[in-house]
Amino acid sequence: MIKIGTALFEACEELERERGISKDVLVASLCDAMVAAYKKHMHVKEAANIEAILDEQTGEIGVFSTKLVVNEVEDSDLQISLTDAKEIDDEVEVDDEVKIEVTPDQFGRIAAQSAKQVITQRIRDAERNNILQEFLEKKGTLTTGIIQRVENRNVIVNIGKTDAIMPQKEQIPREYYKPGNRIRVFVLNVKETNRLPQVIVSHAHAEIVRELFELEVPEIEDGIVEIKSIAREAGFRTKIAVWSNDPEVDSVGACIGPRGSRIQTIVGELKNEKIDIVRWSPDPVEFIVNAISPARVVSVDIMTDDEETKDALVAVPDDQLSLAIGREGQNVRLAHRLTGWKIDIKSVSQLENEETAKANNYDYENEEPEESSVDEDELNQEIEEEMNQQGVDEEDFQEDALEESEEATEE
C-alpha cells in the first residue's frame, strides 16, 4: 500500500466546494490512474481483475488482483489455490474470490505521474459536463451576468461558471456595454465543445420582456394573466398582448400596476424602451384594432377567408395615418408580428378617392364600336347626283385627277 495522507481528501473537498466536482469522481479518477500505471509498468494490456482500492481511514492506496479460489490452479493470473488463499483468509472456501495486493515496489513515483495526468483530465471532463448540464437546464431562461470585455464586436459576459458570448445581432443597437456592469441576458443556446461548453446569450430577445413581466407581475406568474404574444424591436419599442383568465382581473391594468409601478420597473430594466400593452382577443378584428393602438381605427375589413393568407385592410382618420403606421413603419410592423395578420393601413380620404376613381373609370377595352347608320350605296348615289348638278362629267373628273397627279410627279 502507498501512503498518501489526508492532503488528497482535503483537496477533493475543496474542489467539490469551488467547482462542484464530486469527491467520488476524484477518488475514482485516482484509482483508475493507479490501474493504468500498473498495466503500463507491468506491460499488461488486459487485466480485468486488477483494481485500485483507497482506504480513507488510513489514507493508503494499493493495487489488488481479484482471484478465484480453486483446488488446482490452471491460470495463476486469475486463480489461486485453496492452501495459498487460507494464508490470506482462514475462512475462505473454494469458488470464493480473494483480493491479493500486487502493488509493485518503488511504484509511488510512477503512479504519481500517471495519476496527475488522469486526474487533471477527469477534472476537466467533470467540470465541462457539470457546466453543460447546468446551462442546458437554463436554456430558454433569463440569467444575470457581468460584462467582461468586448471582442470583435462580441460581448463576453460572465454568467457564473463560464463566460458566455453575446453576438452583435443579439445586442441592442446603440447600447454601450461597459465592462464590469451587471446585465440581464437570455440564454439562447448551449453548444458542446472539446473544452468548456459555449453559451450563446441575447440582450435583444423578445423572451426577455416575457421574463421581466413574469418577475414583476404576480398575476402572470400565478397564471391569472396570460401573455399571448410579443413583438419587439430591441431598444426602440415592444408590443405585448395579454389576456385575463379571470373576468374580474384587468389584464392591462395588472401589467401596468398601481400608478404604473410595475411597467416603470420593466421600462427601466430595458433602458427606457417603449412598451405598448394591448388586450388580446379571439376576434381578429378586435385584436387588430387593439394592436394598432395608440392610433384610432375607423374600420377593419378582412380581405379573405383563407386562414393562411390573413390579409386585413384598416381604415384610420386622416390625422391618425402617420401615427398608425409609425416611424419608418414601426407601429404597423410590430402589429403585424403581434397579430400574425398582414395589415394594410389607409386613411379615410384615400379609400374615398379610390372608390371615386373606380366609379369613374370606364372600361374602353370592353366597349363595342358603334355601327354606322349610313348605307354605302346611298352615299355613293348622293355624291353622283351632286356631281351631275354641278355639271361635272365623271370621265373629265378622272382625267383632271390623272393630269394633276402627273404634274405633281414631274415637279
Side-chain angles (χ1 to χ4, degrees):
M1 298 285 284
I2 301 172
K3 185 73 174 180
I4 59 176
T6 59
L8 175 66
F9 302 105
E10 294 175 357
C12 292
E13 293 173 356
E14 184 177 354
L15 281 172
E16 188 172 10
R17 288 193 303 268
E18 293 181 355
R19 302 188 182 183
I21 302 174
S22 173
K23 176 183 174 182
D24 296 335
V25 172
L26 296 173
V27 171
S29 301
L30 178 59
C31 293
D32 291 343
M34 290 287 291
V35 173
Y38 174 82
K39 292 180 180 179
K40 184 177 180 180
H41 181 71
M42 302 300 294
H43 304 288
V44 178
K45 293 184 178 180
E46 297 294 335
N49 62 328
I50 300 297
E51 63 177 328
I53 299 176
L54 175 64
D55 189 344
E56 297 187 16
Q57 300 295 330
T58 61
E60 294 180 334
I61 188 171
V63 182
F64 292 82
S65 174
T66 302
K67 294 185 178 183
L68 180 65
V69 179
V70 295
N71 291 320
E72 295 183 4
V73 177
E74 297 179 358
D75 187 348
S76 59
D77 292 333
L78 301 176
Q79 298 173 340
I80 185 174
S81 65
L82 180 60
T83 304
D84 294 338
K86 289 288 187 179
E87 295 178 0
I88 301 173
D89 187 354
D90 295 337
E91 298 180 358
V92 73
E93 300 291 341
V94 176
D95 294 334
D96 288 346
E97 290 184 345
V98 294
K99 296 183 182 300
I100 304 171
E101 184 180 358
V102 293
T103 307
D105 296 335
Q106 307 296 326
F107 189 61
R109 180 180 59 82
I110 300 173
Q113 292 177 349
S114 178
K116 179 181 178 182
Q117 298 174 356
V118 174
I119 291 176
T120 302
Q121 184 62 38
R122 290 291 180 86
I123 289 175
R124 290 176 181 173
D125 293 343
E127 188 175 14
R128 182 175 65 250
N129 291 334
N130 287 345
I131 295 174
L132 180 63
Q133 292 301 320
E134 177 182 351
F135 286 100
L136 281 175
E137 295 176 357
K138 289 185 178 181
K139 183 178 178 180
T141 62
L142 208 61
T143 187
T144 302
I146 300 176
I147 299 174
Q148 298 295 307
R149 60 193 180 278
V150 179
E151 292 181 355
N152 300 325
R153 298 183 180 181
N154 295 328
V155 180
I156 310 301
V157 182
N158 181 270
I159 52 176
K161 296 180 180 179
T162 187
D163 289 342
I165 299 176
M166 185 196 302
Q168 185 180 13
K169 65 178 181 179
E170 300 298 338
Q171 302 170 21
I172 295 179
R174 299 193 298 272
E175 179 78 11
Y176 176 66
Y177 294 97
K178 182 180 179 181
N181 286 357
R182 298 185 70 84
I183 185 173
R184 197 185 296 267
V185 292
F186 183 80
V187 181
L188 273 179
N189 197 9
V190 181
K191 299 179 181 179
E192 187 175 1
T193 63
N194 293 331
R195 302 181 66 186
L196 293 178
Q198 186 181 68
V199 183
I200 309 298
V201 296
S202 172
H203 196 214
H205 202 277
E207 289 299 315
I208 292 180
V209 180
R210 182 189 299 274
E211 292 277 353
L212 290 174
F213 270 92
E214 290 177 354
L215 290 173
E216 295 295 331
V217 183
E219 289 84 353
I220 295 178
E221 186 178 3
D222 296 339
I224 300 174
V225 176
E226 184 179 353
I227 298 176
K228 289 291 187 178
S229 60
I230 300 174
R232 184 187 186 197
E233 291 190 359
F236 300 100
R237 192 173 186 177
T238 294
K239 284 182 179 289
I240 178 171
V242 294
W243 170 260
S244 176
N245 295 315
D246 188 346
E248 297 182 359
V249 177
D250 180 18
S251 58
V252 177
C255 294
I256 295 175
R259 298 182 180 180
S261 58
R262 294 174 179 174
I263 191 65
Q264 287 175 5
T265 302
I266 297 173
V267 170
E269 184 71 29
L270 297 176
K271 308 296 182 183
N272 296 323
E273 183 176 313
K274 187 175 181 180
I275 300 179
D276 296 338
I277 304 175
V278 302
R279 187 173 283 103
W280 181 85
S281 173
D283 180 11
V285 173
E286 183 180 354
F287 189 21
I288 291 172
V289 170
N290 296 339
I292 295 297
S293 65
R296 299 194 312 273
V297 175
V298 175
S299 64
V300 177
D301 293 330
I302 302 300
M303 306 303 295
T304 177
D305 294 333
D306 188 358
E307 296 182 357
E308 296 183 358
T309 306
K310 291 187 175 182
D311 289 337
L313 176 62
V314 177
V316 298
D318 292 358
D319 61 343
Q320 296 284 303
L321 181 60
S322 59
L323 182 62
I325 295 175
R327 180 180 296 179
E328 298 180 354
Q330 185 184 75
N331 191 58
V332 67
R333 187 166 57 249
L334 289 174
H336 158 65
R337 289 161 54 187
L338 188 73
T339 61
W341 283 76
K342 184 179 179 181
I343 303 173
D344 185 14
I345 298 181
K346 293 184 179 181
S347 65
V348 173
S349 61
Q350 287 177 335
L351 293 175
E352 290 176 352
N353 293 337
E354 289 180 1
E355 291 177 359
T356 303
K358 188 181 296 183
N360 295 333
N361 185 26
Y362 200 87
D363 191 358
Y364 292 100
E365 295 180 357
N366 298 327
E367 181 180 2
E368 296 183 358
E370 296 181 0
E371 295 183 359
S372 176
S373 60
V374 181
D375 185 77
E376 186 175 353
D377 295 336
E378 293 180 358
L379 180 61
N380 292 334
Q381 186 177 358
E382 290 178 0
I383 294 174
E384 184 177 355
E385 291 177 356
E386 185 177 355
M387 291 173 63
N388 292 332
Q389 291 176 1
Q390 294 178 358
V392 180
D393 186 68
E394 184 176 356
E395 294 182 357
D396 295 338
F397 179 79
Q398 292 179 352
E399 291 177 357
D400 293 341
L402 180 61
E403 290 177 0
E404 290 179 0
S405 176
E406 291 177 353
E407 291 175 0
T409 302
E410 291 176 358
E411 292 178 357

